[in-house]
Amino acid sequence: MKSLSEIDTVSKRATRAAGFPWGIAEEVGKNIRILEVFGLPGIKEFFKKKKKINFENLNLINIENIANENQFCPIIAGVNFLDQVKILDKLVEVKFEKIAYPLLFLPFVSRASEVIGKKIFLQLDNKKFLLNFNNNIFSSFL
């Protein structure tokens, strides 16, 4: 990949080919682009050879989001997080356990930070992130 536009387009097409609707594919394209802008391996993580996983649905985001048996899909969880961000605005901390490929979830939360105009503290398993208005992502893990 040479440009951010190419990364965006290829990500959208791959998401669509995986069976997601165009709206979600658009979101994924934006997010992979964001990861690359922040210097994170977005395209590499997105196209990493992934084994077939049965995902649990995460439709309603709570303070603690823990999958029972399988992992959460980072794309569906991210879209729902972004859609519910105005309601989640009142929470101080949100915890997720068992999100598959958590790096793919981060840009959704980063964009949510920009939407509500607040920094968001995110804990994924034992990793903690501070997302700052979609301008940067801070973590001791990174």
Side-chain angles (χ1 to χ4, degrees):
M1 302 291 144
K2 293 185 179 182
S3 73
L4 293 174
S5 292
E6 287 176 305
I7 289 169
D8 188 343
T9 301
V10 168
S11 301
K12 284 186 227 180
R13 289 180 180 169
T15 304
R16 187 67 182 114
F20 289 96
W22 273 114
I24 290 178
E26 290 282 336
E27 299 295 331
V28 170
K30 291 175 195 173
N31 289 347
I32 300 304
R33 183 182 189 141
I34 287 169
L35 287 173
E36 293 291 331
V37 166
F38 289 151
L40 299 171
I43 201 75
K44 183 178 178 183
E45 181 70 12
F46 187 66
F47 285 105
K48 187 189 299 184
K49 187 164 180 126
K50 297 174 176 28
K51 61 183 177 182
K52 183 77 172 170
I53 298 176
N54 291 325
F55 292 116
E56 280 191 40
N57 286 335
L58 180 57
N59 297 322
L60 183 61
I61 309 294
N62 296 303
I63 293 172
E64 289 197 19
N65 303 279
I66 302 169
N68 294 323
E69 295 177 21
N70 299 315
Q71 295 178 312
F72 293 125
C73 172
I75 295 169
I76 299 302
V79 167
N80 286 323
F81 186 89
L82 197 53
D83 286 347
Q84 297 171 39
V85 73
K86 295 287 186 179
I87 297 166
L88 298 170
D89 182 19
K90 295 166 185 61
L91 301 179
V92 175
E93 184 176 317
V94 177
K95 182 178 179 182
F96 293 88
E97 288 186 13
K98 295 171 80 175
I99 287 188
Y101 315 106
L103 187 61
L104 299 177
F105 181 70
L106 275 179
F108 285 104
V109 182
S110 182
R111 289 175 52 212
S113 173
E114 181 180 31
V115 169
I116 62 172
K118 293 182 179 178
K119 295 178 183 179
I120 295 178
F121 175 77
L122 173 70
Q123 182 173 336
L124 293 165
D125 298 323
N126 296 326
K127 299 162 188 77
K128 297 177 182 179
F129 300 89
L130 182 62
L131 301 122
N132 189 12
F133 310 111
N134 205 23
N135 289 324
N136 62 24
I137 297 173
F138 173 77
S139 174
S140 58
F141 169 69
L142 298 174

